[in-house]
Amino acid sequence: MINIEIDGKRIETENGTTVIEAAHKAGISIPHFCYHKKLSIAANCRMCLVQVEKAPKPLPACATPVTEGMKVFTASEQAVKAQKGVMEFLLVNHPLDCPICDQGGECMLQDMSVGYGGGASRYHEEKRTVLSKDIGPLVSAEEMSRCINCTRCVRFGAEIAGQMEMGQAFRGEHAEIMTFVSGTVNSELSGNMIDLCPVGALTSKPFRYKARSWELSRRRSISAHDSLGTSLAVQTKNNHVLRVLPIENEDINECWLSDKDRFAYEGLNSAERLTKPMIKQDGKWQEVEWQVALEYAANGLRHIANGAGAEQIGALATANSTLEELYLLQKLMRGIGSDNVDFRLRQSDFSADDKQQGTPWLGMPIADISRLDSVLIVGSFLRKDHPLLAARIRQAVKKGAQANIIHSVDDDLLMKVANKTIVAPDALVAALSQVAQALDAEKNGKAQTASAGAVAIAKSLSCGGCVAVLLGNFAQQHPQAAQLQALAQQIAALSNGKFGFIGEAANSVGGYLAHATPGTKGLNAASMLATPRKAYVLLNVEAELDTANPQQAIAAMQSADLVIAMSAYKHHATSYADVLLPIAPFTETSGTFVSTEGRVQSFKGAVKPLGEARPAWKVLRVLGNLLKISGFDQDTSEAVRDEALKGVDVAAKLSNTISAIDTNAVSAAGGLQRVSDVPIYATDAVVRRSAPLQATVDAATPQAWLHSEELKKLGVQVGATVKVSQGQGSVSIAAAADDKLPRGVVRVAAGHAATAALGAMFGTITVERA
Amino acid sequence: MEKIAHFFKSFLLIELLKGMAVTGKHLFSHKITVHYPEEKTPQSFRFRGLHAQRRYANGEERCIGCKLCEAVCPALAIKIEVAERSDGSRRTTQYDIDLTKCIFCGFCEESCPVDAIVETRVLEYHGEKRGDLYYTKPMLLAVGEKHEAQIAKDRASDAKYR
């Protein structure tokens, strides 16, 4: 520890900290622009100049490490003169167009110039102009003249996002920030540059000119689009969500927010929103009153329960639904007498269900990921599925952790990957068991028989430090998911580490806690669709996009007598549903999400539901009342939550432990195997309708990706249209080459309208010349 | 003694004559009554009357929709909506002043960075219904066009004091 004095205040601080950190910790503010606690030190804005005793000139507080006995003056004559001078220089080329600047009112430069600048400028010459740039649909670089060249955006790209898409070119007065090489910024974390930019140079494109900062009300909420449970602020005006910003939470999202969470709100008021209940009569959709629609739904369910039997009714929900909704849905189904309820729509292997002792979760707090020494990530499109978790692992890798990958595709994770094994989906289990075998040999001093890749991973995992095995979405959706889980457990045990699942959606853990899973008599999501039911209750589900096998799902829906779709949007359901009940998305309802680390977080609605849409828990409650099921008399969502979690010790329930499972070998059928990811901006209904997100590179129409040798074998040129078929369905999409893919594999995205006619996310698939 | 003084005062009607003297003085002095509306009192160039929206000489509206007037208005009389115009500039799509709420404090004019919203010398306006005093953007621009010469002159006179 070191003793220093800032403005006469004695401060004890750790060796190695900088003056600005010590001052901020002691509650003394030092003006700054380029300094940011999560980024490296650049010291190029010079705003944080302070006087230090015995130093002949003022020193930048952000780049000056503390030394014993140091005396710092932040408001002495010399410091104030320096700050005033720097401020005047910064404003020399700043356009002062604050009245039309979106940053106006929340601008660091504005605040600092009021706080530390002079009253008037002495500069009357012409200001420099920097041409505007189009850097993509999310971030606006329309007014680059406002830039003060702090390089925060450049450092963010290089250090946090992992790719340096922005850079500073030219020198002196000609220096300007621009995109490097490619014309656009494509990072899935690019929106954070908007928050980082201390001036109005980088602003949000969808938010451009929508509102001034002081007009917005701010509501706390929780991310509904991935499983981290990111804290966010929903900003509204006139009952419209106009912006979403991160709330700093060191344990979860630090101070970042993924673009998916930041810009998904644009889909909330899409033209496709369902605003009135509708029922289909004589093949025609009619808008009706809630009472009529609910009675129609209740009568239909009663009729089928009394006639064909309650087990002919199935309920499907997405894992983006709140805990309350999932709880009431399963309660409704069990009240009717059906045990068929599930929320794991993209899962294909349910054999772990009766062997799983608790609720699968991350296996550790999210914050612990930063402290890992070695991690094995199995089957995860990490960067796209969990952008912030990827950023956290990237930081850990920078600090020396080793990332090991076992997967079927080799996408660039923008971090140093120590070892990777890329195999076809049917060899994933074998690859993982090789690692377990190598680890066993390593630990017990046996001769290594496993492959060199597996041995390298095993060596990395047996480093003796903090180790984890993480199973991603691909591993959870894999047809041998239970085996992967058992192997991960074995590897974690051998390496004294932890293992867990990176939850697929906001409430992947909450669904289990709400018992929205079939009981022993019930059918799971896959068998509910494989053996079609007479009636389905859908909660937030778009059957052709949210399920593991869209073909099967659509067939099941079309053959059903009654489909009750509770959805915020009018969508493909109009072709198979009988009743459409408009429900409120997460900004319009209160609810609870249980994040992948088991954190139970409730949130309140930020705006009123659009039109006649109602929170789904209220709709389910009334349906329960109409069906005369007892226990549907909750008045608030909090009451539902408390009932759902009554006597449940969430922390004690979280467990990934699985008992011995049967090995179910996937028959090695010839031909090409499908590898499917759910593209980052196709994961849920709101995201799919966000126009700015859909305009990004990540939301491009899916292509059929093959190894170029495979393409050659098929005689197909890159870019040519190919016919991809699975089962009875086929789609025509462009062929693309990716030589990092294993042979015998086609990568075709799921969850997208262009590929919704295809079948299961795994399995054989044929590609032919169109 | 006092009684005698009082007797003479009331007997000789001195109080009355004093009062009549005041009346007489004003009867023959210069009249200050203004025969409104034929005659009008002089106005300061800082007079704060009916609001107007101004345009530049080339016909472009001045207002850029910064919403500072809306924010500063103590009576919450101003309502603004903004959108990007086809040429990319920031413009209002709605600019309303509810004159029944307005207290004519002039803060809107003070806050305007482009001298778009101004208070003119016009004080003779009326409405037959409440709604008539809800001035919308075209109405305000029309006022501005009508009085631009006077507005510009008044701003010029005031400029040296700013």
Side-chain angles (χ1 to χ4, degrees), chain A residues 668-711:
Chain A
L672 293 165
Q673 290 177 53
R674 179 175 180 186
V675 169
S676 51
D677 56 327
V678 180
I680 178 166
Y681 300 136
T683 49
D684 63 76
V686 183
V687 170
R688 281 178 210 131
R689 287 168 180 83
S690 166
L693 288 181
Q694 293 311 318
T696 56
V697 174
D698 277 328
T701 313
Q703 292 175 305
W705 294 89
L706 289 116
H707 195 281
S708 53
E709 291 294 320
E710 294 284 351
L711 278 178

Side-chain angles (χ1 to χ4, degrees), chain A residues 68-256:
Chain A
E68 185 62 44
M70 189 182 224
K71 275 190 182 164
V72 180
F73 306 96
T74 67
S76 67
E77 204 181 321
Q78 190 191 40
V80 167
K81 196 178 162 211
Q83 288 160 0
K84 221 173 199 165
V86 168
M87 199 67 234
E88 193 175 0
F89 272 127
L90 285 174
L91 291 179
V92 155
N93 276 320
H94 193 74
L96 299 183
D97 56 351
C98 309
I100 56 159
C101 176
D102 271 337
Q103 193 89 351
E106 51 179 8
C107 173
M108 280 180 84
L109 192 65
Q110 240 179 359
D111 296 348
M112 298 293 167
S113 70
V114 171
Y116 302 93
S121 172
R122 290 176 287 171
Y123 182 82
H124 299 290
E125 290 75 16
E126 202 158 304
K127 297 194 177 212
R128 78 174 184 150
T129 20
V130 180
L131 292 181
S132 69
K133 295 164 184 83
D134 185 2
I135 59 168
L138 303 178
V139 182
S140 163
E142 203 62 40
E143 316 283 349
M144 288 312 279
S145 299
R146 292 176 188 153
C147 178
I148 58 167
N149 295 54
C150 71
T151 68
R152 272 186 180 188
C153 53
V154 178
R155 281 175 285 146
F156 171 81
E159 292 160 21
I160 308 291
Q163 60 195 129
M164 194 166 162
E165 291 178 304
M166 301 283 263
Q168 192 175 32
F170 313 125
R171 300 180 51 174
E173 208 205 20
H174 306 287
E176 58 178 283
I177 298 291
M178 53 171 63
T179 51
F180 268 3
V181 197
S182 73
T184 56
V185 170
N186 301 328
S187 165
E188 62 285 346
L189 297 170
S190 65
N192 292 301
M193 292 180 192
I194 300 166
D195 290 347
L196 284 173
C197 185
V199 296
L202 299 179
T203 51
S204 162
K205 212 170 229 180
F207 182 66
R208 186 169 164 83
Y209 297 162
K210 286 279 169 67
R212 308 307 310 263
S213 59
W214 58 82
E215 296 178 290
L216 299 165
S217 350
R218 194 178 157 93
R219 303 271 183 278
R220 277 191 87 96
S221 193
I222 302 298
S223 155
H225 309 292
D226 72 16
S227 59
L228 289 197
T230 306
S231 309
L232 39 90
V234 176
Q235 297 198 320
T236 66
K237 184 190 155 195
N238 297 340
N239 207 37
H240 259 68
V241 178
L242 286 185
R243 187 161 71 163
V244 170
L245 295 177
I247 290 181
E248 198 171 324
N249 190 339
E250 202 55 35
D251 292 338
I252 303 173
N253 52 310
E254 299 168 86
C255 55
W256 313 123

Side-chain angles (χ1 to χ4, degrees), chain A residues 91 104 151 169 172 178 222 315 320 326 400 413 438 459 490 532 600 622 748:
Chain A
L91 291 179
T151 68
M178 53 171 63
I222 302 298
N320 313 98
L326 291 168
L413 291 178
K459 281 225 164 72
Q490 200 183 334
V600 181
V622 177
V748 184

Side-chain angles (χ1 to χ4, degrees), chain A residues 3-15:
Chain A
N3 291 299
I4 62 164
E5 200 177 276
I6 304 181
D7 293 346
K9 200 171 170 185
R10 290 184 170 282
I11 294 164
E12 202 182 20
T13 180
E14 275 168 50
N15 199 356

Side-chain angles (χ1 to χ4, degrees), chain A residues 491-657:
Chain A
I491 292 169
L494 283 168
S495 54
N496 291 327
K498 292 176 175 159
F499 86 104
F501 296 93
I502 313 174
E504 188 189 333
N507 223 356
S508 293
V509 171
Y512 285 97
L513 293 177
H515 297 292
T517 44
T520 39
K521 309 192 299 285
L523 300 176
N524 55 44
S527 36
M528 237 186 278
L529 296 170
T531 52
R533 305 284 98 193
K534 286 219 155 41
Y536 288 99
V537 181
L538 305 179
L539 176 60
N540 282 324
V541 178
E542 293 181 82
E544 73 283 12
L545 302 175
D546 287 323
T547 51
N549 189 337
Q551 253 171 26
Q552 208 175 53
I554 287 294
M557 293 300 142
Q558 263 151 0
S559 69
D561 294 343
L562 175 70
V563 175
I564 300 168
M566 298 168 66
S567 166
Y569 299 95
K570 254 183 252 179
H571 50 77
H572 199 64
T574 44
S575 72
Y576 54 74
D578 299 280
V579 193
L580 283 174
L581 302 177
I583 57 167
F586 79 107
T587 48
E588 299 171 10
T589 176
S590 53
T592 304
F593 288 135
V594 186
S595 75
T596 189
E597 60 168 343
R599 195 183 284 253
V600 181
Q601 299 186 104
S602 294
F603 56 91
K604 290 202 160 59
V607 290
K608 284 198 212 100
L610 186 74
E612 283 186 32
R614 291 290 171 266
W617 68 268
K618 287 190 183 173
V619 177
L620 287 162
R621 201 208 110 152
V622 177
L623 268 180
N625 292 343
L626 287 174
L627 288 164
K628 300 203 170 56
I629 304 169
S630 63
F632 278 86
D633 42 17
Q634 303 87 347
D635 288 330
T636 58
S637 70
E638 287 81 7
V640 183
R641 178 197 65 201
D642 293 344
E643 188 185 321
L645 297 178
K646 200 168 137 193
V648 178
D649 181 359
V650 176
K653 272 217 141 185
L654 300 173
S655 162
N656 295 319
T657 316

